[in-house]
mmCIF file of all heavy atoms in Angstrom:
data_model
loop_
_atom_site.group_PDB
_atom_site.id
_atom_site.type_symbol
_atom_site.label_atom_id
_atom_site.label_comp_id
_atom_site.label_asym_id
_atom_site.label_seq_id
_atom_site.Cartn_x
_atom_site.Cartn_y
_atom_site.Cartn_z
ATOM 1 N N ALA A 11 -16.707 -21.373 14.366
ATOM 2 C CA ALA A 11 -16.577 -21.332 12.863
ATOM 3 C C ALA A 11 -16.906 -22.694 12.255
ATOM 4 O O ALA A 11 -17.263 -22.810 11.092
ATOM 5 C CB ALA A 11 -15.246 -20.903 12.459
ATOM 6 N N HIS A 19 -15.813 -14.973 11.489
ATOM 7 C CA HIS A 19 -15.268 -13.608 11.480
ATOM 8 C C HIS A 19 -16.185 -12.645 12.196
ATOM 9 O O HIS A 19 -17.309 -12.516 11.937
ATOM 10 C CB HIS A 19 -15.005 -13.131 10.046
ATOM 11 C CG HIS A 19 -14.097 -11.935 10.001
ATOM 12 N ND1 HIS A 19 -12.660 -12.037 9.881
ATOM 13 C CD2 HIS A 19 -14.352 -10.662 10.043
ATOM 14 C CE1 HIS A 19 -12.207 -10.849 9.766
ATOM 15 N NE2 HIS A 19 -13.155 -9.942 9.930
ATOM 16 N N SER A 30 -20.609 5.646 20.555
ATOM 17 C CA SER A 30 -21.519 6.421 19.856
ATOM 18 C C SER A 30 -20.929 7.812 19.397
ATOM 19 O O SER A 30 -21.278 8.286 18.447
ATOM 20 C CB SER A 30 -22.802 6.677 20.678
ATOM 21 O OG SER A 30 -22.431 7.247 21.919
ATOM 22 N N PRO A 39 -18.319 10.185 3.625
ATOM 23 C CA PRO A 39 -18.767 8.866 4.041
ATOM 24 C C PRO A 39 -17.530 8.030 4.390
ATOM 25 O O PRO A 39 -16.479 8.006 3.687
ATOM 26 C CB PRO A 39 -19.402 8.292 2.813
ATOM 27 C CG PRO A 39 -18.938 9.114 1.639
ATOM 28 C CD PRO A 39 -18.611 10.460 2.238
ATOM 29 N N VAL A 51 -29.232 -14.003 -7.825
ATOM 30 C CA VAL A 51 -29.818 -12.985 -8.704
ATOM 31 C C VAL A 51 -29.071 -11.611 -8.558
ATOM 32 O O VAL A 51 -28.726 -10.945 -9.544
ATOM 33 C CB VAL A 51 -31.317 -12.787 -8.311
ATOM 34 C CG1 VAL A 51 -31.918 -11.637 -9.198
ATOM 35 C CG2 VAL A 51 -32.044 -14.071 -8.583
ATOM 36 N N ARG A 59 -21.069 -1.145 7.624
ATOM 37 C CA ARG A 59 -21.393 -0.434 8.839
ATOM 38 C C ARG A 59 -20.847 0.993 8.563
ATOM 39 O O ARG A 59 -19.653 1.223 8.347
ATOM 40 C CB ARG A 59 -20.759 -1.103 9.969
ATOM 41 C CG ARG A 59 -21.328 -0.820 11.368
ATOM 42 C CD ARG A 59 -21.512 0.540 11.911
ATOM 43 N NE ARG A 59 -21.570 0.466 13.372
ATOM 44 C CZ ARG A 59 -21.643 1.518 14.101
ATOM 45 N NH1 ARG A 59 -21.475 2.718 13.648
ATOM 46 N NH2 ARG A 59 -21.794 1.311 15.436
ATOM 47 N N ALA A 93 -35.359 -7.267 3.541
ATOM 48 C CA ALA A 93 -34.363 -6.414 2.892
ATOM 49 C C ALA A 93 -35.091 -5.435 1.952
ATOM 50 O O ALA A 93 -35.843 -5.858 1.058
ATOM 51 C CB ALA A 93 -33.348 -7.175 2.094
ATOM 52 N N VAL A 100 -27.026 5.812 5.952
ATOM 53 C CA VAL A 100 -26.428 6.878 6.665
ATOM 54 C C VAL A 100 -25.598 6.369 7.838
ATOM 55 O O VAL A 100 -25.696 5.253 8.204
ATOM 56 C CB VAL A 100 -27.442 7.898 7.149
ATOM 57 C CG1 VAL A 100 -28.286 8.492 6.013
ATOM 58 C CG2 VAL A 100 -28.396 7.239 8.180
ATOM 59 N N VAL A 107 -24.653 -3.495 0.353
ATOM 60 C CA VAL A 107 -24.214 -2.583 -0.724
ATOM 61 C C VAL A 107 -23.704 -3.452 -1.931
ATOM 62 O O VAL A 107 -22.913 -4.323 -1.767
ATOM 63 C CB VAL A 107 -23.092 -1.567 -0.270
ATOM 64 C CG1 VAL A 107 -22.669 -0.742 -1.537
ATOM 65 C CG2 VAL A 107 -23.565 -0.740 0.838
ATOM 66 N N PRO A 122 -12.721 5.871 8.889
ATOM 67 C CA PRO A 122 -13.388 5.420 10.041
ATOM 68 C C PRO A 122 -12.527 5.373 11.311
ATOM 69 O O PRO A 122 -11.247 5.570 11.277
ATOM 70 C CB PRO A 122 -13.703 3.955 9.669
ATOM 71 C CG PRO A 122 -12.562 3.519 8.762
ATOM 72 C CD PRO A 122 -12.214 4.797 8.041
ATOM 73 N N LYS A 142 -15.404 -34.643 -6.891
ATOM 74 C CA LYS A 142 -15.723 -36.070 -7.119
ATOM 75 C C LYS A 142 -15.487 -36.269 -8.713
ATOM 76 O O LYS A 142 -15.033 -37.308 -9.184
ATOM 77 C CB LYS A 142 -17.032 -36.446 -6.727
ATOM 78 C CG LYS A 142 -17.253 -36.393 -5.183
ATOM 79 C CD LYS A 142 -16.456 -37.454 -4.463
ATOM 80 C CE LYS A 142 -16.676 -37.389 -2.985
ATOM 81 N NZ LYS A 142 -17.986 -37.601 -2.533
ATOM 82 N N GLN A 149 -14.875 -25.268 -11.470
ATOM 83 C CA GLN A 149 -16.152 -24.808 -10.840
ATOM 84 C C GLN A 149 -15.985 -24.890 -9.355
ATOM 85 O O GLN A 149 -16.453 -23.994 -8.624
ATOM 86 C CB GLN A 149 -17.338 -25.745 -11.250
ATOM 87 C CG GLN A 149 -17.781 -25.634 -12.701
ATOM 88 C CD GLN A 149 -17.128 -26.744 -13.534
ATOM 89 O OE1 GLN A 149 -15.867 -26.943 -13.572
ATOM 90 N NE2 GLN A 149 -17.982 -27.519 -14.230
ATOM 91 N N VAL A 169 -2.769 -23.878 -5.641
ATOM 92 C CA VAL A 169 -1.413 -24.190 -5.966
ATOM 93 C C VAL A 169 -1.467 -24.720 -7.438
ATOM 94 O O VAL A 169 -1.826 -25.765 -7.743
ATOM 95 C CB VAL A 169 -0.925 -25.407 -5.059
ATOM 96 C CG1 VAL A 169 0.594 -25.619 -5.402
ATOM 97 C CG2 VAL A 169 -1.101 -25.060 -3.599
ATOM 98 N N ILE A 183 -16.522 -30.885 11.795
ATOM 99 C CA ILE A 183 -17.834 -30.438 11.467
ATOM 100 C C ILE A 183 -17.890 -29.439 10.370
ATOM 101 O O ILE A 183 -18.835 -29.383 9.583
ATOM 102 C CB ILE A 183 -18.485 -29.920 12.805
ATOM 103 C CG1 ILE A 183 -18.638 -30.978 13.858
ATOM 104 C CG2 ILE A 183 -19.818 -29.198 12.469
ATOM 105 C CD1 ILE A 183 -19.253 -30.443 15.138
ATOM 106 N N GLY A 219 19.301 -9.958 5.663
ATOM 107 C CA GLY A 219 19.062 -10.612 4.336
ATOM 108 C C GLY A 219 19.327 -9.575 3.281
ATOM 109 O O GLY A 219 18.999 -8.452 3.320
ATOM 110 N N GLU A 221 19.983 -8.925 -1.092
ATOM 111 C CA GLU A 221 19.952 -9.314 -2.545
ATOM 112 C C GLU A 221 20.237 -8.044 -3.471
ATOM 113 O O GLU A 221 19.745 -6.951 -3.203
ATOM 114 C CB GLU A 221 18.539 -9.866 -2.851
ATOM 115 C CG GLU A 221 18.406 -10.116 -4.368
ATOM 116 C CD GLU A 221 19.459 -11.140 -4.860
ATOM 117 O OE1 GLU A 221 19.690 -12.120 -4.184
ATOM 118 O OE2 GLU A 221 19.893 -10.960 -6.074
ATOM 119 N N PRO A 239 13.459 -11.674 15.737
ATOM 120 C CA PRO A 239 12.365 -12.297 16.325
ATOM 121 C C PRO A 239 11.511 -11.317 17.083
ATOM 122 O O PRO A 239 12.032 -10.371 17.707
ATOM 123 C CB PRO A 239 13.031 -13.464 17.250
ATOM 124 C CG PRO A 239 14.313 -13.628 16.820
ATOM 125 C CD PRO A 239 14.699 -12.327 16.256
ATOM 126 N N VAL A 287 10.601 -7.076 10.322
ATOM 127 C CA VAL A 287 11.398 -6.950 9.131
ATOM 128 C C VAL A 287 11.622 -5.409 8.849
ATOM 129 O O VAL A 287 10.588 -4.810 8.673
ATOM 130 C CB VAL A 287 10.672 -7.656 7.900
ATOM 131 C CG1 VAL A 287 11.578 -7.385 6.695
ATOM 132 C CG2 VAL A 287 10.540 -9.069 8.262
ATOM 133 N N THR A 288 12.902 -5.029 8.859
ATOM 134 C CA THR A 288 13.114 -3.601 8.628
ATOM 135 C C THR A 288 13.965 -3.458 7.311
ATOM 136 O O THR A 288 15.032 -4.032 7.144
ATOM 137 C CB THR A 288 13.865 -2.962 9.811
ATOM 138 O OG1 THR A 288 13.124 -3.148 10.958
ATOM 139 C CG2 THR A 288 14.093 -1.411 9.575
ATOM 140 N N GLU A 291 18.587 -0.837 3.875
ATOM 141 C CA GLU A 291 19.384 -0.231 2.776
ATOM 142 C C GLU A 291 18.727 -0.702 1.455
ATOM 143 O O GLU A 291 18.005 -1.718 1.383
ATOM 144 C CB GLU A 291 20.862 -0.759 2.780
ATOM 145 C CG GLU A 291 21.602 -0.223 3.982
ATOM 146 C CD GLU A 291 23.089 -0.840 3.931
ATOM 147 O OE1 GLU A 291 23.500 -1.251 2.858
ATOM 148 O OE2 GLU A 291 23.762 -0.852 4.971
ATOM 149 N N THR A 322 12.514 -21.794 13.659
ATOM 150 C CA THR A 322 12.088 -22.978 14.460
ATOM 151 C C THR A 322 10.589 -23.049 14.255
ATOM 152 O O THR A 322 9.842 -22.136 13.899
ATOM 153 C CB THR A 322 12.358 -22.788 15.893
ATOM 154 O OG1 THR A 322 12.024 -23.954 16.629
ATOM 155 C CG2 THR A 322 11.612 -21.577 16.540
ATOM 156 N N GLY A 340 -5.460 -42.047 36.621
ATOM 157 C CA GLY A 340 -4.158 -42.492 36.281
ATOM 158 C C GLY A 340 -3.918 -42.700 34.765
ATOM 159 O O GLY A 340 -2.927 -42.251 34.243
ATOM 160 N N LEU A 346 -1.914 -37.947 28.916
ATOM 161 C CA LEU A 346 -1.445 -36.477 28.824
ATOM 162 C C LEU A 346 0.133 -36.446 28.668
ATOM 163 O O LEU A 346 0.609 -35.707 27.895
ATOM 164 C CB LEU A 346 -1.926 -35.669 29.963
ATOM 165 C CG LEU A 346 -3.473 -35.472 30.014
ATOM 166 C CD1 LEU A 346 -3.764 -34.728 31.363
ATOM 167 C CD2 LEU A 346 -3.802 -34.581 28.847
ATOM 168 N N VAL A 357 -8.124 -31.685 40.790
ATOM 169 C CA VAL A 357 -9.013 -31.362 41.938
ATOM 170 C C VAL A 357 -10.017 -32.515 42.105
ATOM 171 O O VAL A 357 -10.774 -32.872 41.196
ATOM 172 C CB VAL A 357 -9.724 -30.075 41.621
ATOM 173 C CG1 VAL A 357 -10.702 -29.790 42.808
ATOM 174 C CG2 VAL A 357 -8.758 -28.951 41.447
ATOM 175 N N PHE A 363 -13.002 -36.174 39.380
ATOM 176 C CA PHE A 363 -11.863 -35.256 39.369
ATOM 177 C C PHE A 363 -12.047 -34.254 38.223
ATOM 178 O O PHE A 363 -12.688 -34.494 37.277
ATOM 179 C CB PHE A 363 -10.570 -36.115 39.167
ATOM 180 C CG PHE A 363 -10.358 -36.546 37.689
ATOM 181 C CD1 PHE A 363 -9.668 -35.768 36.814
ATOM 182 C CD2 PHE A 363 -10.757 -37.826 37.350
ATOM 183 C CE1 PHE A 363 -9.498 -36.209 35.495
ATOM 184 C CE2 PHE A 363 -10.607 -38.250 36.108
ATOM 185 C CZ PHE A 363 -9.961 -37.512 35.178
ATOM 186 N N THR A 408 7.143 -30.768 8.457
ATOM 187 C CA THR A 408 7.457 -29.759 7.421
ATOM 188 C C THR A 408 6.378 -29.984 6.270
ATOM 189 O O THR A 408 5.714 -30.925 6.244
ATOM 190 C CB THR A 408 8.877 -30.078 6.776
ATOM 191 O OG1 THR A 408 8.885 -31.396 6.173
ATOM 192 C CG2 THR A 408 9.923 -30.035 7.871
ATOM 193 N N ILE A 423 14.687 -16.414 -10.801
ATOM 194 C CA ILE A 423 14.812 -15.232 -11.774
ATOM 195 C C ILE A 423 14.254 -15.683 -13.037
ATOM 196 O O ILE A 423 13.476 -14.943 -13.751
ATOM 197 C CB ILE A 423 16.250 -14.789 -11.957
ATOM 198 C CG1 ILE A 423 16.655 -14.136 -10.572
ATOM 199 C CG2 ILE A 423 16.420 -13.813 -13.064
ATOM 200 C CD1 ILE A 423 18.174 -13.757 -10.570
ATOM 201 N N ARG A 427 11.016 -14.015 -15.066
ATOM 202 C CA ARG A 427 11.056 -13.486 -16.438
ATOM 203 C C ARG A 427 10.343 -14.286 -17.453
ATOM 204 O O ARG A 427 10.396 -14.057 -18.631
ATOM 205 C CB ARG A 427 12.611 -13.365 -16.818
ATOM 206 C CG ARG A 427 13.362 -12.307 -15.908
ATOM 207 C CD ARG A 427 14.725 -12.040 -16.546
ATOM 208 N NE ARG A 427 15.287 -10.859 -15.956
ATOM 209 C CZ ARG A 427 16.217 -10.106 -16.563
ATOM 210 N NH1 ARG A 427 16.636 -10.473 -17.721
ATOM 211 N NH2 ARG A 427 16.626 -8.944 -15.937
#
Side-chain angles (χ1 to χ4, degrees):
H19 193 92
S30 58
V51 178
R59 202 304 199 172
V100 299
V107 177
K142 295 292 178 63
Q149 294 97 306
V169 185
I183 291 178
E221 174 59 37
V287 177
T288 305
E291 292 180 21
T322 187
L346 291 174
V357 177
F363 76 88
T408 60
I423 293 174
R427 293 192 165 203

